[in-house]
Each structure stands twice: as C-alpha cells, then as structure tokens.
Amino acid sequence: MSYPGGGESRDNAYGTTPLVTGDAVVLELRPAGFATRAAAIAIDFLVQVIALIALGLVVSWIAFSVDPAATAAISLATTILIIVGYPTAFESISRGRSLGKMALGLRVVGTDGSPERFRQALARALSGFVELWMTFGVIALVTSMLNRDGRRVGDFVAGTMVVEERTGKRRDTVIPMPPHLAAWAAGTELSRLSPETANSARQYVLRYSELAEHTRHEMGIQLADAVAAQVSPPPPPGTTPPFFLAAVLAERRRRSLEAMGQGPQGAQDPQGYQSQGHYSQGQPQQSFPSQGQNPQHRW
C-alpha cells in the first residue's frame, strides 16, 4: 500500500500497534465521582457481608461434624475467597465491573485506557482488603479525596482508575463521508472491523481539531494501521489518516442504518471539519508530513 507522498509501505505498517495513547485517553475518560464510587463500594460491601453471613451459618452447621482445625481452615479460605476472590473474579470476567459498578455505570480501566486485567483486579482486591476492610475504608476515603481522579491506594498499586460509562451527554455527531473516498468506501469489506477499533478511530476523528499536532500525527498513523489491517481493499494512494478513518466510519454507519431499515440521514458537521477545510479534495488544514519530511511515517 502507498502512503501520502508515494513510496512503499513499512514492513510493520499493519502490525499490532497501541490504539490509544495517554493524550487521547485523557480526553475521553471521565473519572467517577467520589459519591458514586462510595455508593458502588457500599453495594459490593453489602453483597460480601451477606455472603460472609451465609458462610458463617454454613460453617456453624458443619462444625459439629468436622474437626475444629479443618473448620477454621475452611472458614478462613472461604472468607478470603469472598473478600478477595469476589472483586477479582467479577472485575476480570466483566472487564472492570463489579456488581456495584454495574449498578452505577462505572468501570475500572488502566491509566492508559486499556481494559482491566486479572493481575490489576487482583492487586486492587488485595489492597482493598487492607484499605477497605481492615481500616473500615479510612485509607481509601482519604486517598480518594486527596487525588483529583478519586483513585485509592489499590488503583495506584494496580495502575488503574474508575471511570463513568454513563454520561449525561453523549457524542452522537455523525461523521460525514469524505466525498473523494465515497466510491472506494462503498466497495470495502468491513466485517472484520472490531467495535473497539472503530470506537478508537471515532474518538480520534471527533477530537481531531482538539489534538496537538504531534498527537494527530502519531495517533493517526497508529489508528490507520490498525483499521487498515481489518478492512480491504486499502484506500487509494495518498489518502491521509483522518480521511481514511472518517470514510470507514461513515460507511460503517451507513450500512448499519440500512441493516436496520433506516434511510440515510443528513450528516452533521463534527467539530467543524468541513468549515475548517478538512474535507476538501486536498490535505487537511493541518496536514500530515509529506514525502521527505519524516521518512519513518508514510501515511
């Protein structure tokens, strides 16, 4: 595939690349409020207390027929399983949500925006045993109030933060189709494009005018590589990342509307793209490097 300015593609142009950088994550992640987090913790705490009470009744019932040492071992093991295993299992399986977080629309993510991993969930749960259970939440309370993102000790240990999934205002702006890529987009194969990759591309396009120039460049290349690996055929030679991503997203939305039996809707102008000249036949108003400016990046 050719990149703007001509030339052959990089050997690793379509390899695995990080989809989200710190610059982009800050724009989209909204840290959960202290009250909301406290309510979610209270729900989880209540669930665990109920489970511990039920456990105590079961242990009391079997204590008559089991050796006292075995009873104590069973009680300790199951208590640890509830206090540590419950949040670890739920947050790992649901990718960052416990029952309390599900109820209040919260999710745990990495500080780079990545989904929470098992080791991170385990680190948060182990820290929670100390800062939530052993100190009755005092450590977590103080830490969360002092940190602007509301992170507790477990978040710092695991490299995570709790963010809101439900927000009052959502970006429903329609991304318009770049006119000179409409014919190409109509014949593309988009079935392999994952929702996660499409969402990252959408945030980049919508935030394009708000990003710093170096972020536009680096992130545009990363996202364009990731999307190009999941669609075919490649875009026409000379296509720049924002045009390429916008065309893919616009065509994806058009096909979704058709599948639902809805006709095409008039495209709104996101972030002033058309008014700023971003959808002219040439380069965007703030264009990417042309040939010779940066030989390492050929988009």
Side-chain angles (χ1 to χ4, degrees), residues 27-172:
L27 293 173
E28 290 307 318
L29 297 186
R30 181 178 178 181
F34 175 79
T36 308
R37 287 196 62 176
I41 290 175
I43 293 174
D44 291 327
F45 184 79
L46 179 61
V47 171
Q48 289 171 293
V49 168
I50 293 175
L52 288 172
I53 293 175
L55 169 65
L57 295 175
V58 173
V59 171
S60 299
W61 179 68
I62 66 174
F64 296 102
S65 58
V66 179
D67 181 79
T71 302
I74 293 173
S75 179
L76 177 62
T78 51
T79 299
I80 293 176
L81 182 64
I82 291 173
I83 295 178
V84 177
Y86 160 76
T88 301
F90 259 90
E91 292 185 6
S92 297
I93 295 173
S94 63
R95 301 177 72 83
R97 296 185 298 172
S98 61
L99 289 178
K101 293 180 179 64
M102 288 181 184
L104 295 174
L106 306 180
R107 183 185 292 274
V108 180
V109 299
T111 52
D112 61 348
S114 60
E116 184 184 25
R117 300 175 181 175
F118 172 78
R119 61 177 178 78
Q120 293 174 311
L122 179 60
R124 295 183 80 252
L126 291 173
S127 298
F129 178 74
V130 176
E131 61 176 323
L132 295 175
W133 289 87
M134 295 185 65
T135 64
F136 301 99
V138 173
I139 295 179
L141 173 64
V142 173
T143 307
S144 297
M145 293 183 68
L146 292 178
N147 181 258
R148 68 174 185 174
D149 293 331
R151 299 171 69 193
R152 62 179 176 86
V153 174
D155 290 315
F156 286 103
V157 172
T160 59
M161 63 187 298
V162 181
V163 298
E164 294 182 1
E165 286 192 304
R166 304 172 188 169
T167 55
K169 297 180 180 179
R170 298 188 60 183
R171 285 183 172 269
D172 294 325

Side-chain angles (χ1 to χ4, degrees), residues 206-229:
L206 291 176
R207 298 285 190 175
Y208 182 84
S209 62
E210 302 173 13
L211 297 173
E213 184 175 356
H214 74 280
T215 303
R216 295 175 182 173
H217 185 187
E218 298 296 332
M219 188 181 301
I221 292 171
Q222 292 174 6
L223 287 168
D225 282 345
V227 173

Side-chain angles (χ1 to χ4, degrees), residues 262-276:
Q262 300 181 23
Q265 299 179 2
Q268 302 173 20
D269 183 13
Q271 303 295 323
Y273 273 66
Q274 293 178 351
S275 61
Q276 294 181 21

Side-chain angles (χ1 to χ4, degrees), residues 234-257:
T239 303
T240 54
F243 289 154
F244 168 54
L245 298 175
V248 170
L249 295 172
E251 179 63 20
R252 181 173 181 266
R253 182 177 187 277
R254 184 189 68 79
R255 295 181 187 181
S256 297
L257 291 176

